[in-house]
Amino acid sequence: MISYPSYKVAAAHVAPIFHDTDRSVLKACATISEAAAHGASLIVFPEGFIPGFPIWSGVVAPIRTHDHFKELAAAAIEIDGPELDRIRSAARKCGVFVSIGFTEATKASVGCLWNANVLIGEDGTILNHHRKLVPTFYEKLVWASGDGAGLRVVDTRLGRLGALICGENTNPLARYTLMAQGEQVHISTYPSVYPTRPLEEDGNYDLENAIRIRAGAHSFEAKVFNIVASAPYDRTARKAVERLGNEALALLEASPKAVSMIIDPTGVVISPTLSAEEGLAYADVDIARCVEPKRLHDVVGYYNRFDVFKLTVDRTSNHPVLFEDDKPPAFLTTPKASTVAPTVNGKTNGAQGHSDAVSGAPALVPEDSRVE
């Protein structure tokens, strides 16, 4: 007999201390403690929470934001750095799962940054590390493109958890990739504000409406719970933009703001909807409620045509260089024919590392899907 878990989740509608990594980490740890004290088993933070979403990149010309970019790069964190260790420790201490967005740095470069998200287990283990596949619009001037390595659904005691960042929730192939791995709880994260037009023009992007459409669509199509976490636009973000001028500030103030909420497998909002003020939106998740809607249409089961549609996903991690160390020079060895690896287009087969593929047919990732 299959037993389905039931528990409480929290969407953390909280703002970081803009461009201040240490204080943002402290705030994240305090929020984790608060949500855990209220019975939440999973806490979800917004996109780019550490050290704040680069809202400045969309309100003035890029030649005016070099200082902001340098500040962001200096405040960015690495996946194995002490900042995430502190958040992992908080998750372990409270015995909860945590999803948090951050700007990721790398030792390979002082200027290459990614829009990343990490899922942390109740024991502090990193369960999945995802980099946004394609930065959206003016984000391309800040973040690099990610890869498919993080397109994974993790099997936990809370069910099968997956996550996408902001505009990725508009990508039907990315969403289907998670659906096809048996996703039951989806995490979607967003910034506080997203201006797309000057003040004097109509038709600015309605961020709240866009979030509701995307989140509801994925919940309804995948038959999953969807935890939506965005950040409110607060005074620390406002202060960071002030030096770009009154017009930039006015544009951000006038633009539609984001929302946080939790949606059930039928597309219905089941939590408070938070926008202007900080807070935690709670809701109860019962994975058993994902079952009945599948009778209507299960797009990764019977309600599809896998003989017609095929999807292949490359989950290879990208690296700037691959080294082969500790090998004697070729002239000192004469390898036997049986030991020579096959080549493809002149390259050693497998040199890029293991590559997973998700086919168009329903398939679940291995039970041990953790990414250390």
Side-chain angles (χ1 to χ4, degrees):
M1 179 73 70
I2 297 176
S3 178
Y4 299 103
S6 179
Y7 51 92
K8 181 183 287 187
V9 298
H13 190 73
V14 294
I17 311 302
F18 203 79
H19 280 195
D20 189 326
T21 299
D22 288 339
R23 292 171 68 196
S24 295
V25 169
L26 281 173
K27 188 169 184 177
C29 292
T31 303
I32 291 168
S33 296
E34 179 183 348
H38 284 82
S41 296
L42 169 62
I43 299 100
V44 177
F45 287 87
E47 176 183 16
F49 184 80
I50 302 172
F53 186 90
I55 53 176
W56 39 264
S57 64
V59 291
V60 296
I63 58 174
R64 296 184 57 196
T65 59
H66 295 315
D67 287 344
H68 284 77
F69 180 81
K70 286 187 288 185
E71 289 174 12
L72 179 65
I77 63 177
E78 296 180 18
I79 186 66
D80 57 353
E83 299 86 2
L84 275 181
D85 280 348
R86 288 157 64 189
I87 294 172
R88 293 169 65 182
S89 294
R92 181 170 57 249
K93 179 180 178 181
C94 295
V96 296
F97 292 77
V98 174
S99 169
I100 191 164
F102 62 101
T103 290
E104 182 183 355
T106 172
K107 290 182 176 66
S109 171
V110 294
C112 182
L113 307 173
W114 290 279
N115 182 352
N117 188 86
V118 68
L119 178 63
I120 301 167
E122 60 190 339
D123 60 354
T125 301
I126 292 180
L127 302 178
N128 194 37
H129 169 214
H130 174 57
R131 293 169 175 168
K132 190 174 183 179
L133 292 169
V134 182
T136 306
F137 196 18
Y138 41 74
E139 295 171 18
K140 293 182 177 70
L141 299 170
V142 178
W143 288 312
S145 294
D147 55 37
L151 288 176
R152 300 175 185 273
V153 168
V154 183
D155 198 0
T156 74
R157 71 172 181 84
L158 303 183
R160 303 185 66 83
L161 312 181
L164 292 174
I165 304 169
C166 195
E168 291 183 318
N169 291 283
T170 313
N171 186 328
L173 299 184
R175 295 195 300 107
Y176 181 82
T177 297
L178 300 188
M179 292 184 203
Q181 295 174 72
E183 186 182 43
Q184 295 166 326
V185 176
H186 183 71
I187 293 165
S188 47
T189 60
Y190 293 89
S192 58
V193 62
Y194 208 86
T196 58
R197 287 182 178 274
L199 276 173
E200 65 273 13
E201 294 184 10
D202 295 329
N204 205 355
Y205 192 64
D206 189 337
L207 185 55
E208 177 177 350
N209 191 46
I211 289 173
R212 289 180 180 274
I213 290 170
R214 286 183 280 203
H218 187 71
S219 290
F220 185 80
E221 292 173 11
K223 318 305 181 192
V224 298
F225 287 89
N226 197 334
I227 307 169
V228 180
S230 306
Y233 175 68
D234 79 332
R235 60 181 180 82
T236 68
R238 187 183 191 280
K239 184 174 179 59
V241 178
E242 279 180 348
R243 64 182 187 267
L244 292 176
N246 291 333
E247 184 177 351
L249 195 60
L251 179 55
L252 287 172
E253 303 265 344
S255 294
K257 305 303 186 290
V259 290
S260 295
M261 68 187 84
I262 300 161
I263 300 174
D264 77 2
T266 68
V268 174
V269 178
I270 57 172
S271 75
T273 298
L274 305 179
S275 183
E277 303 297 327
E278 287 193 326
L280 291 166
Y282 295 99
D284 293 323
V285 165
D286 183 357
I287 301 300
R289 294 183 59 193
C290 299
V291 178
E292 183 179 327
K294 291 275 190 175
R295 294 191 71 188
L296 301 179
H297 16 66
D298 183 353
V299 297
V300 297
Y302 64 86
Y303 202 75
N304 219 319
R305 287 290 303 275
F306 303 116
D307 56 330
V308 177
F309 303 110
K310 308 290 182 186
L311 175 62
T312 301
V313 179
D314 184 350
R315 294 201 303 200
T316 305
S317 296
N318 291 333
H319 300 281
V321 62
L322 296 174
F323 294 102
E324 294 185 4
D325 292 345
D326 301 324
K327 292 185 178 180
F331 65 87
L332 294 180
T333 61
T334 306
K336 297 178 181 179
S338 61
T339 64
V340 178
T343 61
V344 178
N345 296 330
K347 296 182 180 179
T348 301
N349 191 23
Q352 295 296 321
H354 178 66
S355 175
D356 295 311
V358 178
S359 70
L364 301 182
V365 295
E367 290 296 321
D368 184 12
S369 59
R370 295 184 176 187
V371 180
E372 301 294 346

